[in-house]
Amino acid sequence: MANEGRMKGVQGVGGGTGDEEDGNEEVREELELALSLGWRSWHLPPRQEPAPSSHNWTAVLPEWNPDAAGSSHDAKTALGGQSIPSLRFRDMLGGILDASHAGGSVEVGWGNLDEEDEDRDLQNKRLRVQHFGEEGPLHSGLLFCRESPLHSEHELEFGLSLFPNDGSESLRDANNEIVDDAENPGERNSEGVGIRMDLSDDLLHLIFSFLGQKDLCRAGVTCKQWRSASVHDDFWKCLKFENTRISLQNFVNICRRYPSVTELNLNGVINAEMLVLEAIVFLRHLKTLTMGKGQLGGPFFQALSECPLLTALTVNDASLGSGIQEATIKHGGLRELHIFKCRALRISVRCSQLQILSLRRTGMAHVSLNCPQLLELDFQSCHKLSDNAIRQAATACPLLAKLDMSSCSCVTDETLRDIGNSCPSLSALDASNCPNISFESVKLPMLVDLRLLSCEGITSASMVAIAYSRLLEALQLDNCSLLTSVSLDLPHLKNMSLVHLRKFAELNLRSPVLSYIKVSRCSVLHRVSITSTTLQKLVLQKQESLSSLSLQCHNLIDVDLSDCESLTNAICEVFSDGGGCPKLRSLILDNCESLSIVELNSSSLVCLSLAGCRSMTCLRLSCPNLQHVNLDGCDHLKNAAFCPVGLESLNLGICPKLSILCIEAPNMSIMELKGCGVLSEASINCPRLTSLDASFCRQLVDDSLTCMTGACPLIEHLILSSCLSIGIDGLSSLHCLHKLTLLDLSYTFLINLKPIFDSCPQLKVLKLSACKYLSDSSLDALYREGALPLLVELDLSYSPIEQNAIEGLLACCSNLVNVNFNGCTNFQELVCESGDSGSVDMPVDSCPPSSPIKNEEISEQPGRLLEVLNCTGCPNIKKVVIPLIANFSHLSKINLNLSTNLKEVDLTCSNLLTLNLSNCSSLEVLKLDCPRLTNLQLLACTMLQEEELESAISLCCALEVLNVHSCPKINALDFGRLRLVYPSLKRIQSSLIS
């Protein structure tokens, strides 16, 4: 594998044949790996084509003299005394380097190379990496940048050959003269601008181990140390020339240079047979050979005997033999022979040590085998082989253990019987897509793996012969269209696949070690019986006809029976204690629409999903470890009992017909019953329950609420919104909830709140929205008697509360933080100031001494905690005045949106941040002294004047957002000047600003 990684870089693009190949010859990569890295015996084929226009030489190069390779002086002699033209290093690399990108390249070169440097130890040589954009010597080294596809490896190798082979590290300029730092006064001091680093031989060897052959060649021209490292034998034991063009002479020289080559890949190489024949004498250590594409005749296979260590031969997509004579493969040491997609009339294999033979997709009419040690034989998709030929070939291998003859349509049961008699050790058989096989009366006692996919002759009678293979571990019967039933008792069967069996109706499988079974797309399967001690997961999805399931699987953990529409209520017995699955943890019965009554009693079940079981009307679960249950879409559930379960939360909001509920869950903390509109009887025993939402349970009666509060004393949040049947008795039972802090009684018919005041003194949040039968006297205890002293949030939206009660609540309940008066039609004004503008109409002697009752006394309070005041949609409110003496120092948000009759707003609130007066179409007076106000909404305030607005915001120095959209009387406002006056203003919304 490591060799494969190193050789990846040398794989080029394979060309076609004939005229197409000739037409693409100029753009194909021609890898000349004889290498100018110190090898004197390499040969470069002559090229008589002009150089590209980007090159600087014009001379036509004659035949290269191998004896002259290695130095520029010898190169000059080889050219008949003619000087090498002006050849820059960028030209030497065949146009790879682009001068226009020099400013963004990293230049790596050798600094101060002289005669003393030649004597240095290789480990002490230092690379000088110049900075980006630095201009070094003309030929100081190699620039890393992209290759140009217009130049072949032929030109690259010529450039590399200009580096000397005599051990000198001196570099040469365009005139073939040595470049020295002393002779280049324009060069910068390398010590000042360079980064020096040392690479030891071991480290360099490790780095080069990741390079392919082509990259090794390029790295080898950098310096002597790199050259020495790149030609190490470790990197050239595996030669991969797949789809690469290489000349005969260079290939021979490479094989001569590296006689220890153990792996050779010539797949897709033109004239690969000739290359092997010429270099076979140097491949004495070759162990693995890969050939492909082309003609491989008798001489090639005869020459393989010259490689005594050859153990693996692969031939892919080639023509074998001469076309009229058989191709004979004979080798005494060959262990593996793979022939893929080849063409031959006859093939004869005579290899005494051969163990693996593959003739997959090879078009041959006859095959002769003399391989006494053969263990694996592959005839897959050999369509031309006759039944008799396959029989003779297989029976000639007595030690055969694995046979693949899939897609050989002519194979018959007679062949299988003969193979079974002649190959007693056969353990793996693939006879898929063989329509003439029925497997009847076939006896293969040692069979371990059997594949009979898409065999039309396989029927239920075939199971008798399969059952004879007692050692069978894997069985695949997919797409056997005539198979109607499977009944097997195999003690070693581990894996089984039954997919797309149109007539398959019954499965009876017994195997103690079964660990995986796949049953899919068997539309008529109605009965399944499985016995196994190791099966942990069973998936039988979309078996529409499955009605009977029997399981004896003591280690089964997960079962998925989704969309099994025919399952009956009896399935519950299978998954209850004593039903054969004692360790079951997850059960999915989604969309099993035939289930009407589900009763499960399982001590191991943790997750249960019954989503989409629309016919289920009754659910009884006794699963003490059940933690997750999914009842989405169970629209017809009427009776549910969870006694006991280990659930921590339960949501039954999707059961609109549920009328009776019984829950015993010691660990449950959250329960949602909202939407159970007909729920009338609820027995809930959840001692750890902290939150109960029973919204819209209109028929929930007082008795159920009383039992619930007695059994769940830790409830903190209780939501009884729209519970119209709850009365005084039910509310009185809330005294058992000592930790109750939130109570929601919105949309109820409450008249008297005294049970709440008496039972829940610790209440912090009370929601009475839309309680239309409440009167002012119902709230007297809040602001007259100091009831609910811890109350911080009160919601009286859309209630008939009167003006006096509103004033009393704001005056006396100083601990309120959030108050909602949305939609209160009797709310007329909010005036908190000393004067006669408003008073609390109540007897003075009825208030506690510490509770003021008149507005003029509000200023005497130490301060109110009110932060949010919502009065949205109060149609009759006309005036809101909050002066400084009102002590609303914490008020940060006021919402008066949709108060259409509001005419005057006067606020002095030091901490107010947001004020919403949108759609207050009658607003005329606006006075604001709110230094921290950041958001002012005045949308559709049609009566507000421009002067009034400027005066109002003059004291709002922190204003950031101003919305005056659809305010017709503020058209002339100069927003530019406004931004200069208020630098904090970031956003203005207006009809005049697009």
Side-chain angles (χ1 to χ4, degrees):
M1 296 298 294
N3 291 335
E4 292 179 6
R6 292 193 293 267
M7 309 318 297
K8 187 178 295 184
V10 304
Q11 298 176 7
V13 178
T17 60
D19 296 336
E20 182 181 355
E21 176 183 309
D22 296 337
N24 296 330
E25 183 174 351
E26 292 183 0
V27 296
R28 294 184 58 171
E29 292 188 359
E30 183 178 347
L31 183 61
E32 300 293 349
L33 290 176
L35 302 175
S36 56
L37 304 178
W39 308 349
R40 295 185 175 275
S41 59
W42 71 290
H43 174 73
L44 181 66
R47 297 288 293 264
Q48 297 296 334
E49 56 183 322
S53 57
S54 61
H55 290 182
N56 289 337
W57 71 81
T58 58
V60 177
L61 301 179
E63 177 74 13
W64 186 254
N65 185 1
D67 296 332
S71 68
S72 58
H73 175 74
D74 293 336
K76 181 176 179 179
T77 305
L79 291 175
Q82 180 182 356
S83 299
I84 296 178
S86 178
L87 179 61
R88 295 179 300 173
F89 191 73
R90 292 182 174 86
D91 298 328
M92 295 182 337
L93 294 182
I96 292 177
L97 303 179
D98 189 352
S100 62
H101 295 81
S105 302
V106 179
E107 188 173 357
V108 180
W110 292 96
N112 299 325
L113 292 177
D114 51 21
E115 296 179 355
E116 295 180 359
D117 290 336
E118 298 179 11
D119 298 330
R120 289 184 184 178
D121 186 85
L122 290 178
Q123 296 182 3
N124 295 327
K125 288 188 178 297
R126 299 176 181 269
L127 277 174
R128 180 166 58 85
V129 183
Q130 295 186 351
H131 294 289
F132 283 91
E134 180 181 352
E135 216 177 288
L138 183 60
H139 301 297
S140 60
L142 180 63
L143 285 173
F144 293 102
C145 62
R146 62 179 179 86
E147 285 191 29
S148 172
L150 300 178
H151 303 279
S152 68
E153 293 290 342
H154 185 131
E155 295 165 351
L156 175 62
E157 293 304 328
F158 176 76
L160 301 183
S161 67
L162 295 181
F163 283 80
N165 190 28
D166 55 4
S168 173
E169 297 298 332
S170 299
L171 303 177
R172 300 177 183 275
D173 61 10
N175 296 323
N176 201 28
E177 296 180 356
I178 296 178
V179 178
D180 188 78
D181 291 342
E183 298 175 3
N184 290 275
E187 183 185 3
R188 298 181 182 179
N189 189 338
S190 61
E191 295 293 337
V193 300
I195 302 175
R196 295 185 177 276
M197 57 183 176
D198 290 332
L199 293 178
S200 66
D201 289 342
D202 293 338
L203 178 58
L204 198 61
H205 190 87
L206 176 62
I207 295 174
F208 278 15
S209 66
F210 295 96
L211 300 182
Q213 290 166 265
K214 193 178 296 185
D215 294 325
L216 285 171
C217 296
R218 295 181 177 130
V221 303
T222 306
C223 65
K224 187 169 68 175
Q225 183 191 17
W226 286 33
R227 182 174 67 224
S228 177
S230 65
V231 298
H232 197 280
D233 287 351
D234 290 347
F235 306 141
W236 299 89
K237 290 183 178 180
C238 177
L239 300 181
K240 286 195 174 182
F241 302 129
E242 186 173 4
N243 296 323
T244 302
R245 190 168 186 174
I246 181 171
S247 66
L248 174 62
Q249 186 60 48
N250 284 336
F251 178 75
V252 172
N253 289 335
I254 291 174
C255 295
R256 180 188 295 113
R257 172 64 175 82
Y258 295 106
S260 60
V261 170
T262 60
E263 182 178 348
L264 176 61
N265 188 339
L266 294 175
N267 185 30
V269 177
I270 300 175
N271 297 326
E273 180 183 17
M274 185 181 299
L275 298 181
V276 174
L277 292 176
E278 290 292 331
I280 197 71
V281 295
F282 306 112
L283 301 175
R284 305 288 295 178
H285 295 85
L286 189 64
K287 295 181 179 180
T288 302
L289 176 60
T290 301
M291 306 290 289
K293 296 182 181 180
Q295 182 78 27
L296 298 179
F300 168 77
F301 295 108
Q302 294 175 7
L304 294 181
S305 60
E306 299 291 334
C307 303
L309 300 182
L310 186 66
T311 58
L313 173 62
T314 301
V315 181
N316 180 36
D317 194 16
S319 297
L320 308 183
S322 60
I324 58 175
Q325 297 179 352
E326 70 176 9
T328 302
I329 305 175
K330 184 178 181 181
H331 194 282
L334 201 62
R335 300 294 182 88
E336 296 184 23
L337 176 59
H338 301 275
I339 299 179
F340 300 127
K341 296 175 61 177
C342 292
R343 298 162 295 281
L345 182 63
R346 297 167 59 92
I347 294 180
S348 177
V349 181
R350 304 179 182 279
C351 302
S352 59
Q353 300 299 321
L354 192 66
Q355 296 181 355
I356 300 176
L357 173 60
S358 176
L359 298 171
R360 181 173 298 190
R361 300 180 65 183
T362 295
M364 59 201 167
H366 188 269
V367 61
S368 175
L369 301 183
N370 185 2
C371 308
Q373 301 296 323
L374 193 65
L375 300 177
E376 298 182 14
L377 179 59
D378 187 352
F379 282 137
Q380 184 186 117
S381 300
C382 293
H383 303 291
K384 294 184 179 181
L385 271 183
S386 64
D387 183 37
N388 185 54
I390 294 177
R391 183 187 310 129
Q392 291 180 1
T395 55
C397 306
L399 300 182
L400 193 64
K402 182 177 181 181
L403 175 61
D404 186 348
M405 52 184 183
S406 57
S407 300
C408 294
S409 57
C410 58
V411 176
T412 63
D413 286 340
E414 183 180 356
T415 296
L416 290 181
R417 285 192 290 267
D418 290 347
I419 293 175
N421 295 329
S422 302
C423 306
S425 300
L426 189 66
S427 61
L429 173 64
D430 189 347
S432 303
N433 296 289
C434 296
N436 297 323
I437 290 180
S438 66
F439 217 77
E440 296 181 12
S441 69
V442 176
K443 296 182 178 180
L444 298 172
M446 302 302 294
L447 204 60
V448 174
D449 188 349
L450 176 60
R451 302 182 184 184
L452 297 173
L453 289 76
S454 302
C455 293
E456 299 177 1
I458 298 298
T459 64
S460 300
S462 306
M463 298 303 107
V464 177
I466 294 177
Y468 185 80
S469 303
R470 302 290 291 173
L471 300 180
L472 196 64
E473 296 181 1
L475 176 62
Q476 296 186 32
L477 297 172
D478 301 349
N479 298 295
C480 294
S481 56
L482 298 181
L483 185 62
T484 58
S485 64
V486 172
S487 181
L488 293 173
D489 184 356
L490 297 172
H492 300 283
L493 187 64
K494 297 180 180 179
N495 303 313
M496 188 172 186
S497 178
L498 299 166
V499 178
H500 197 198
L501 304 177
R502 294 179 297 173
K503 298 183 178 181
F504 185 55
E506 183 176 352
L507 171 62
N508 187 354
L509 183 61
R510 182 181 181 86
S511 175
V513 297
L514 184 69
S515 59
Y516 173 82
I517 182 170
K518 182 178 182 181
V519 181
S520 175
R521 301 172 63 189
C522 301
S523 56
V524 299
L525 178 64
H526 67 271
R527 184 178 182 276
V528 174
S529 176
I530 300 176
T531 301
S532 172
T533 57
T534 58
L535 185 65
Q536 294 186 350
K537 184 173 183 179
L538 176 63
V539 178
L540 296 173
Q541 295 178 347
K542 297 184 178 180
Q543 303 303 322
E544 297 88 350
S545 302
L546 182 63
S547 58
S548 175
L549 180 63
S550 175
L551 299 176
Q552 292 296 325
C553 305
H554 299 292
N555 286 295
L556 191 62
I557 297 176
D558 298 328
V559 175
D560 188 349
L561 298 174
S562 301
D563 301 290
C564 294
E565 301 174 357
S566 301
L567 281 178
T568 63
N569 298 333
I571 192 67
C572 299
E573 299 178 3
V574 178
F575 302 114
S576 296
D577 289 343
C581 304
K583 296 184 179 180
L584 185 67
R585 294 177 57 86
S586 174
L587 175 61
I588 300 177
L589 296 171
D590 294 348
N591 302 312
C592 295
E593 297 185 358
S594 296
L595 295 178
S596 59
I597 300 176
V598 176
E599 298 183 7
L600 288 174
N601 179 11
S602 174
S603 58
S604 62
L605 193 63
V606 175
C607 301
L608 173 64
S609 180
L610 294 166
C613 295
R614 302 185 182 278
S615 301
M616 183 174 61
T617 59
C618 181
L619 174 64
R620 296 188 181 93
L621 300 179
S622 179
C623 307
N625 290 311
L626 186 65
Q627 297 180 6
H628 305 281
V629 62
N630 184 3
L631 299 174
D632 292 344
C634 298
D635 301 334
H636 294 82
L637 184 63
K638 297 180 180 180
N639 190 330
F642 303 84
C643 301
V645 292
L647 294 171
E648 296 181 0
S649 64
L650 177 64
N651 186 342
L652 291 175
I654 38 67
C655 301
K657 294 186 178 182
L658 183 66
S659 60
I660 301 176
L661 175 65
C662 181
I663 298 179
E664 181 182 342
N667 297 323
M668 186 173 294
S669 59
I670 300 175
M671 184 184 302
E672 293 188 10
L673 304 177
K674 56 184 178 182
C676 300
V678 298
L679 181 64
S680 58
E681 299 181 23
S683 175
I684 300 177
N685 183 8
C686 304
R688 296 186 181 181
L689 192 66
T690 59
S691 176
L692 174 62
D693 186 349
S695 302
F696 304 102
C697 294
R698 300 176 182 272
Q699 298 185 20
L700 188 65
V701 297
D702 289 344
D703 292 342
S704 297
L705 181 60
T706 300
C707 296
M708 187 187 311
T709 55
C712 310
L714 301 181
I715 292 180
E716 299 177 4
H717 297 171
L718 180 60
I719 301 176
L720 299 174
S721 176
S722 298
C723 293
L724 304 181
S725 301
I726 298 296
I728 295 178
D729 294 339
L731 295 179
S732 298
S733 68
L734 299 182
H735 71 277
C736 300
L737 306 180
H738 301 294
K739 294 187 176 183
L740 185 65
T741 58
L742 183 151
L743 178 61
D744 188 349
L745 295 170
S746 301
Y747 297 91
T748 58
F749 297 155
L750 291 180
I751 299 176
N752 187 359
L753 297 179
K754 189 175 186 304
I756 299 175
F757 299 149
D758 295 340
S759 304
C760 310
Q762 73 285 353
L763 207 60
K764 294 183 179 180
V765 179
L766 178 61
K767 296 184 178 183
L768 301 171
S769 178
C771 294
K772 58 182 179 180
Y773 293 105
L774 283 179
S775 61
D776 286 352
S777 60
S778 301
L779 299 171
D780 286 351
L782 281 178
Y783 58 89
R784 292 178 182 272
E785 303 173 6
L788 305 183
L790 302 179
L791 193 68
V792 296
E793 182 176 344
L794 177 63
D795 188 353
L796 292 169
S797 299
Y798 307 101
S799 64
I801 185 173
E802 298 290 341
Q803 174 72 26
N804 292 336
I806 293 175
E807 292 179 353
L809 288 171
L810 294 176
C812 301
C813 300
S814 59
N815 289 328
L816 285 176
V817 175
N818 191 331
V819 178
N820 294 328
F821 295 126
N822 301 320
C824 292
T825 57
N826 296 325
F827 193 8
Q828 299 178 359
E829 63 179 19
L830 174 60
V831 180
C832 301
E833 60 180 1
S834 58
D836 298 332
S837 57
S839 64
V840 179
D841 188 11
M842 64 185 77
V844 177
D845 57 0
S846 64
C847 276
S850 60
S851 299
I853 59 175
K854 292 185 180 296
N855 286 336
E856 62 184 6
E857 296 174 322
I858 294 178
S859 60
E860 299 177 2
Q861 294 292 334
R864 291 169 175 78
L865 301 179
L866 188 64
E867 296 181 3
V868 179
L869 177 62
N870 289 316
C871 302
T872 299
C874 296
N876 296 318
I877 189 171
K878 298 180 180 179
K879 185 177 182 181
V880 176
V881 178
I882 302 179
L884 180 62
I885 59 175
N887 285 334
F888 285 101
S889 58
H890 294 87
L891 191 60
S892 61
K893 180 180 179 180
I894 299 178
N895 192 349
L896 294 166
N897 184 25
L898 295 171
S899 299
T900 55
N901 288 317
L902 181 63
K903 294 183 177 180
E904 179 181 351
V905 174
D906 187 354
L907 303 176
T908 303
C909 302
S910 58
N911 287 304
L912 189 65
L913 300 177
T914 301
L915 175 61
N916 190 351
L917 298 172
S918 297
N919 300 291
C920 296
S921 54
S922 301
L923 182 64
E924 297 179 353
V925 179
L926 179 61
K927 298 180 181 180
L928 302 175
D929 186 0
C930 307
R932 299 186 62 184
L933 185 66
T934 60
N935 192 327
L936 177 59
Q937 298 291 322
L938 298 172
L939 173 68
C941 292
T942 56
M943 302 298 295
L944 187 63
Q945 299 285 341
E946 177 182 331
E947 296 79 6
E948 191 71 19
L949 174 61
E950 287 196 63
S951 175
I953 65 176
S954 60
L955 297 179
C956 302
C957 54
L959 191 63
E960 297 180 359
V961 178
L962 174 63
N963 187 355
V964 290
H965 198 280
S966 301
C967 297
K969 295 187 177 182
I970 310 181
N971 289 337
L973 195 64
D974 188 348
F975 297 109
R977 176 177 55 82
L978 207 60
R979 292 180 184 276
L980 293 177
V981 176
Y982 303 101
S984 61
L985 198 58
K986 298 178 180 179
R987 183 179 180 185
I988 300 177
Q989 295 173 283
S990 172
S991 306
L992 304 178
I993 301 177
S994 56

